[in-house]
Amino acid sequence: MADIVARYLNAIASHDWDVVDDCIADDIVRVGPYGDRYAGRDEYLAFIADLMPRLNGYLMKLERVTYASDALAYAELSETVEVDGKPMVTPEVLVFAIAADGRIERVDVYIQTQAG
C-alpha cells in the first residue's frame, strides 16, 4: 500500500497543492480541532491553500503514521507556528478515513493542549 497519509502531509507542509489534490477524494471532509468543517474538494483546497502560507514560522514534524486498516490511519505529528515572535509547538493526532480508491476522504484533527 502506498503511504497516502505521509504523501498528503508532506504536500501540505511544502504547499504542493497539486499533490494534495491528488491525495484527496472529491467529497473530502476535514473537521478541525475547534469543530470547523470543510467539505468537498474545492472548499477544502481553497481553505488549506489560503491558510498554510500565512502561518509564520510553520514547521511540521511527522512522528509516525499508523494504518489500522486499508480504510483507517492515524498520524502523530507536531506543528510549529510563530506567535508573538516565539515558536509555539502543538502536538496533534490526525485521523484519516481512506476511500476504496486509496484517496483520503476524511481528516479529523485533534490537538493536545498544554497545561498553562
Side-chain angles (χ1 to χ4, degrees):
M1 173 190 342
D3 193 350
I4 189 72
V5 171
R7 183 171 180 243
Y8 162 85
L9 291 170
N10 289 326
I12 293 280
S14 65
H15 304 174
D16 190 336
W17 310 124
D18 289 336
V19 172
V20 171
D21 188 46
D22 288 344
C23 292
I24 61 174
D26 292 340
D27 59 348
I28 188 168
V29 174
R30 184 258 191 200
V31 180
Y34 305 105
D36 51 309
R37 180 183 172 97
Y38 297 89
R41 175 185 300 277
D42 293 342
E43 183 179 55
Y44 175 66
L45 282 173
F47 159 71
I48 202 74
D50 177 61
L51 172 68
M52 296 307 294
R54 294 187 292 118
L55 298 176
N56 292 331
Y58 182 81
L59 175 68
M60 179 190 298
K61 182 178 180 188
L62 180 59
E63 296 295 332
R64 81 177 125 199
V65 176
T66 303
Y67 284 87
S69 69
D70 288 345
L72 180 64
Y74 302 90
E76 296 172 64
L77 57 90
S78 63
E79 290 184 294
T80 302
V81 294
E82 239 177 63
V83 177
D84 298 326
K86 297 179 184 173
M88 181 178 80
V89 180
T90 305
E92 303 176 14
V93 170
L94 281 62
V95 179
F96 293 87
I98 302 167
D101 68 1
R103 294 185 301 159
I104 296 166
E105 62 184 356
R106 185 176 176 101
V107 180
D108 291 280
V109 180
Y110 298 92
I111 62 172
Q112 186 175 41
T113 57
Q114 306 297 310

